[in-house]
């Protein structure tokens, strides 16, 4: 999730739910740029009738095309999209680890810093693409709720990271695809099969194994970080974050391609920053870290989260959504490794069992959607 953590990945996750086989700049629609014709080798451009379609770039004709006529097209590096996905997962996991290492800084304040980085990154894009800052009139209400829910997901997830084990919070966030399917069935009338119901039950089972409520596991719960009260609060925050992230993906599906994704991220950053500043004023929690190390960590969290989002977006541009969604489960692996190496906290078998249930659920959902998109692509080709 959804940037993959809370608000961190919802835009990219929404792209993953759609069909990403279309290269950037070649979306379907009446305004889509069509490939122009390039002169054939040995034929003069002026007055030439023999031309061939240039498919090596986003529709620019030679000599502005990235390849001259007659040159061989470079083969795409196999596995590059999956490598970008793994790199994105690693950057997100390191950012979460640094969040655990920061002392005496509220999760809302960390989220505010994150929103500032988002705004600094998106603002040049809005100016370059001339999208405006408000968006189409009929879509503004959707953009507002996308920004509100996305930023809420980020704040809640950061709080969960601070009060519960890193691996536990990361695993819970991976229930987002399952809840996205459920919400899409309710609000968008998308198909919801028995397999989807089974994956939802698997995800809920995984969350229960991680939360370990006393009425099921007894009053003496072991292997948690801090008090069980904080563990339960973190679990509730992580679940609420996941539901908020899933809701933003449903909203992005509703909006579709009518709104530029930079504008969507802009709403997320602006509304998130305003909401965080109001919350900090009410809670009286605004303070700069006393330690220089924590200030560096705050900057690194913003940079690593931004880098993770960029690599995830690049992965979705050159690889199919199914493999990317499955490979994103590396977030869980990295979370377990970093928790053991740097936080000296060994996960319990309950956590491992819950992780397996959630990973199986999210992977199954991704595989089903992947197969469905491939089937639809074959039908269109026929």
């Amino acid at each position: 999730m959804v940037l993959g953590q809370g608000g961190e990945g919802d835009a990219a996750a929404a792209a993953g739910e759609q069909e990403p086989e279309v290269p950037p700049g070649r979306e379907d629609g009446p305004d889509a740029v069509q490939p122009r014709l390039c002169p054939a080798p040995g034929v003069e451009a002026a007055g030439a009738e023999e031309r061939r379609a240039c498919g090596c770039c986003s529709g620019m004709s030679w000599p502005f095309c990235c390849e001259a006529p007659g040159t061989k097209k470079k083969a795409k590096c196999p596995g590059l999209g999956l490598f970008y996905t793994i790199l994105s997962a690693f950057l997100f996991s390191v950012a979460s680890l640094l969040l655990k290492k920061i002392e005496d800084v509220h999760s809302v304040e960390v989220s505010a810093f994150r929103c500032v980085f988002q705004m600094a990154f998106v603002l040049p894009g809005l100016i370059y693409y001339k999208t405006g800052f408000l968006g189409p009139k009929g879509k503004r209400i959707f953009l507002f709720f996308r920004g509100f829910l996305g930023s809420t997901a980020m704040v809640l997830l950061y709080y969960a990271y601070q009060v519960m084990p890193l691996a536990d919070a990361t695993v819970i966030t991976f229930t987002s695809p399952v809840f996205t399917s459920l919400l899409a069935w309710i609000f968008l009338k998308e198909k919801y099969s028995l397999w989807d119901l089974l994956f939802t039950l698997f995800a809920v089972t995984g969350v229960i194994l991680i939360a370990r409520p006393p009425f099921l596991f007894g009053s003496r719960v072991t292997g948690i970080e801090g008090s069980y009260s904080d563990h339960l609060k973190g679990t509730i925050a992580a679940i609420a974050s996941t539901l908020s992230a899933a809701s933003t993906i449903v909203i992005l599906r509703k909006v579709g391609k009518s709104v530029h994704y930079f504008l969507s991220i802009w709403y997320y950053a602006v509304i998130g920053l305003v909401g965080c500043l109001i919350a900090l004023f009410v809670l009286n929690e605004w303070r700069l870290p006393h330690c220089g190390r924590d200030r560096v960590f705050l900057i690194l969290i913003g940079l690593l989260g931004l880098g993770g989002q960029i690599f995830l977006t690049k992965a979705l541009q050159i690889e199919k959504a199914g493999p990317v969604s499955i490979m994103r489960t590396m977030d869980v692996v990295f979370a377990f490794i970093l928790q053991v190496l740097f936080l000296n906290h060994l996960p319990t078998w309950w956590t491992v069992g819950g992780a397996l249930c959630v990973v199986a659920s999210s992977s199954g959902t991704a595989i089903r959607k992947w197969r469905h998109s491939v089937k639809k692509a074959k039908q269109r080709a026929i």
Side-chain angles (χ1 to χ4, degrees):
M1 318 224 184
V2 208
L3 301 161
Q5 304 171 358
E8 290 177 81
D10 43 11
E17 296 291 347
Q18 298 170 354
E19 297 177 10
E21 289 84 8
V22 183
R26 296 193 188 181
E27 293 93 343
D28 296 329
D31 298 327
V33 178
Q34 300 295 331
R36 298 180 185 176
L37 298 177
C38 296
V43 180
E44 295 292 335
E49 296 181 358
E50 296 183 19
R51 297 175 182 269
R52 63 181 178 86
C54 172
C56 58
C57 59
S58 58
M60 297 184 67
S61 59
W62 192 83
F64 302 102
C65 172
C66 57
E67 295 178 1
T71 58
K72 292 184 178 181
K73 186 178 179 180
K74 293 182 179 179
K76 184 179 70 172
C77 178
L80 183 61
L82 300 183
F83 171 75
Y84 283 155
T85 307
I86 295 175
L87 185 56
S88 168
F90 178 74
L91 294 179
F92 282 143
S93 298
V94 174
S96 304
L97 174 66
L98 296 180
L99 181 62
K100 294 284 292 183
K101 289 288 188 179
I102 290 181
E103 300 175 358
D104 298 328
V105 179
H106 200 280
S107 59
V108 178
E109 185 174 350
V110 180
S111 302
F113 274 94
R114 177 62 194 280
C115 289
V116 170
F117 275 92
Q118 291 282 100
M119 292 176 63
F121 171 73
V122 172
L123 184 59
L126 293 179
I127 297 173
Y128 178 79
Y129 289 107
K130 299 179 181 179
T131 62
F133 296 94
L134 296 178
K137 287 186 178 180
K139 305 294 183 180
R140 291 175 186 174
I141 185 66
F142 295 109
L143 289 170
F144 172 81
F145 280 108
R146 178 266 184 272
F148 176 76
L149 291 170
S151 57
T152 300
M154 176 179 59
V155 173
L156 291 172
L157 181 61
Y158 283 1
Y159 175 77
Y161 280 136
Q162 288 183 332
V163 300
M164 69 184 301
L166 177 63
D168 291 11
T170 302
V171 168
I172 293 176
T173 63
F174 270 82
T175 60
S176 180
V178 180
F179 290 120
T180 300
S181 298
L182 181 60
L183 293 177
W185 171 60
I186 295 174
F187 295 104
L188 301 181
K189 308 304 179 184
E190 293 187 4
K191 185 178 179 181
Y192 191 80
S193 65
L194 290 176
W195 280 107
D196 294 314
L197 177 60
L198 179 63
F199 294 143
T200 302
L201 294 177
F202 260 90
V204 172
T205 301
V207 172
I208 290 175
L209 292 177
I210 291 172
R212 300 190 289 282
F215 68 88
L216 290 177
F217 293 83
S219 58
R220 300 180 63 181
V221 180
T222 59
I224 63 174
E225 186 178 277
S227 65
Y228 182 77
S229 175
D230 286 340
H231 183 82
L232 184 59
K233 291 178 183 177
T235 301
I236 295 174
I239 295 173
S241 171
T242 300
L243 290 172
S244 297
S247 300
T248 62
I249 296 175
V250 172
I251 291 174
L252 288 171
R253 285 191 191 178
K254 179 69 175 178
V255 172
K257 296 180 180 179
S258 60
V259 176
H260 198 281
Y261 67 94
F262 268 171
L263 190 61
S264 174
I265 300 175
W266 172 256
Y267 265 81
Y268 157 72
V270 172
I271 294 176
L273 180 60
V274 172
C276 288
L277 292 178
I278 294 175
L280 289 171
F281 177 78
V282 173
L283 297 173
N284 195 25
E285 288 285 350
W286 176 264
R287 66 172 69 90
L288 285 175
H290 301 293
C291 176
R293 185 198 67 170
D294 286 348
R295 297 178 185 179
V296 174
F297 283 175
L298 276 177
I299 297 174
L300 288 177
I301 288 172
L303 293 177
L304 290 171
L306 186 58
Q309 177 62 48
I310 291 173
F311 281 114
L312 181 58
T313 303
K314 288 178 68 67
L316 289 167
Q317 288 177 343
I318 63 178
E319 186 59 80
K320 293 182 179 179
V324 171
S325 298
I326 296 171
M327 193 58 66
R328 284 199 63 206
T329 56
M330 287 298 296
D331 278 13
V332 177
V333 177
F334 287 133
F336 275 98
I337 294 174
L338 295 177
Q339 177 175 296
V340 173
L341 292 180
F342 296 99
L343 301 176
N344 298 319
H345 186 85
L346 291 174
T348 64
W349 287 110
W350 294 114
T351 298
V352 174
L356 291 176
C357 288
V358 170
V359 169
S361 174
S362 60
S363 298
T365 302
I367 291 173
R368 286 199 73 252
K369 291 186 179 297
W370 179 21
R371 292 181 60 185
H372 181 67
S373 64
V374 170
K375 184 178 179 180
K376 287 180 64 177
K378 289 182 178 179
Q379 290 176 348
R380 284 198 300 266
I382 295 174

